[in-house]
Amino acid sequence: MKLLFMVRSESGQDTGTMSQQLLYRALVSAKWVSEAIKSSQTGLAVQLLDASWYLPKMKRNPRREFEERHIPGAAFFDIDQCSDRTSPYDHMLPSAGEFAEYVGKLGVGSNAHVVVYDASDQGLFSAPRVWWMFRAFGHDAVSLLDGGLKNWMREGFPVTSQKSRPVPAEFHATLDNSLVKTHEDIKENIESCRFQVVDARSVGRFQGTEEEPREGIEPGHIPGSVNIPFTEFLTEAGMEKSPENIHSLFQERKVDLKKPLVATCGSGVTACHVALGAYLCGKPDVAIYDGAWVEWFMRALPEHIISERRWKNL
């Protein structure tokens, strides 16, 4: 499997012209990972990361599960630990220095091909967040294990409880600010409409009819945003849909991949499925609203919280 591939994508605001660009392969198969573990066929040091993370209501302990069962050679990436611990919002991006120090301790060097997965029931849930984080910090050599640990085990590949002992490595990080949006950016966009906003939460949370999983946060959405639940990018088996099917999904929701696009969700995790889907269609520049709905709800004016029903805090 080639790790770099050429894509033809539409570019320009209204020209409809085609451009070519070289992108790093975002998805790798279980078979490819198995062979890469055994050999150095890629020419790069392959580093596996288990980036499992769950909402509190799921009552799952990802670190404990990792210790009990993970892909041989993987290290555990803690999304909450590798974050801006001073922020009042969940797992906001850390500084470039903090990210470099954290992943370096996991054995990830600047020459590594990073492969990220998680152990969710969906196949992939939180891993795309870490895929996006590496890209945001300038490391393009990062892929996702298609189907996650769920499909890895379904295909009969081994897991282990052997303790992970990463060898520290040197990693250099520089934040690409174009891949991150702030509350101020989203607020200004309500009037300017400079970019499209896609929300990856469930339909009920987006519409305001289903409770949010975090206490004190009510459901609803940002004015002008479009809803594409992250699960719609996945097949029933938990594999990523084909670029053709994903392109059709964006078209059905009237999202124009020729124009700027920003993704959001509850706390910046499943939004990265939108960025991944667009990337697979040849659009690698989708930014994430890092504070996402939690920050928006806490800071926005009441008229900028669109909901089909009135909740106690509105």
Side-chain angles (χ1 to χ4, degrees), residues 67-243:
E67 291 169 354
E68 294 171 352
R69 185 175 64 188
H70 57 266
I71 296 175
F76 182 73
F77 187 107
D78 189 326
I79 288 175
D80 288 324
Q81 188 72 27
C82 186
S83 67
D84 178 0
R85 310 297 290 282
T86 67
S87 174
Y89 312 114
D90 294 342
H91 38 252
M92 298 284 279
L93 277 179
S95 68
E98 290 168 336
F99 183 81
E101 181 181 8
Y102 183 83
V103 301
K105 288 179 179 177
L106 295 184
V108 180
S110 291
N111 68 330
H113 173 201
V114 182
V115 176
V116 193
Y117 72 92
D118 64 58
S120 65
D121 295 334
Q122 291 91 345
L124 287 177
F125 175 61
S126 53
R129 166 75 182 189
V130 176
W131 169 81
W132 170 77
M133 288 176 74
F134 272 98
R135 293 180 54 248
F137 283 114
H139 191 79
D140 291 331
V142 58
S143 306
L144 288 154
L145 171 57
D146 197 9
L149 185 66
K150 176 182 178 180
N151 184 66
W152 173 269
M153 295 177 64
R154 182 167 55 209
E155 293 194 19
F157 292 108
V159 293
T160 182
S161 60
Q162 186 173 346
K163 188 172 177 59
S164 175
R165 300 185 186 278
V167 177
E170 188 174 353
F171 186 91
H172 301 283
T174 303
L175 180 63
D176 180 352
N177 287 298
S178 71
L179 293 180
V180 189
K181 292 297 183 187
T182 66
H183 176 268
E184 288 70 26
D185 294 328
I186 304 298
K187 182 179 178 181
E188 191 272 336
N189 191 65
I190 292 175
E191 297 297 329
S192 67
C193 299
R194 295 180 191 275
F195 50 80
Q196 306 160 99
V197 178
V198 172
D199 191 319
R201 290 174 300 152
S202 66
V203 174
R205 290 170 64 187
F206 179 85
Q207 293 179 340
T209 58
E210 173 190 332
E211 287 189 1
E212 284 288 313
R214 294 170 178 84
E215 190 172 345
I217 305 297
E218 307 297 357
H221 62 268
I222 298 165
S225 58
V226 175
N227 184 214
I228 307 180
F230 80 93
T231 50
E232 296 195 24
F233 292 95
L234 302 170
T235 67
E236 289 186 9
M239 309 298 285
E240 194 74 15
K241 288 181 178 178
S242 69

Side-chain angles (χ1 to χ4, degrees), residues 50 52-69 76 78 119:
D50 183 323
S52 299
W53 174 88
Y54 305 105
L55 289 163
K57 69 173 186 177
M58 295 178 177
K59 296 186 175 3
R60 291 181 65 173
N61 185 322
R63 185 179 290 276
R64 185 181 305 144
E65 290 183 16
F66 171 82
E67 291 169 354
E68 294 171 352
R69 185 175 64 188
F76 182 73
D78 189 326

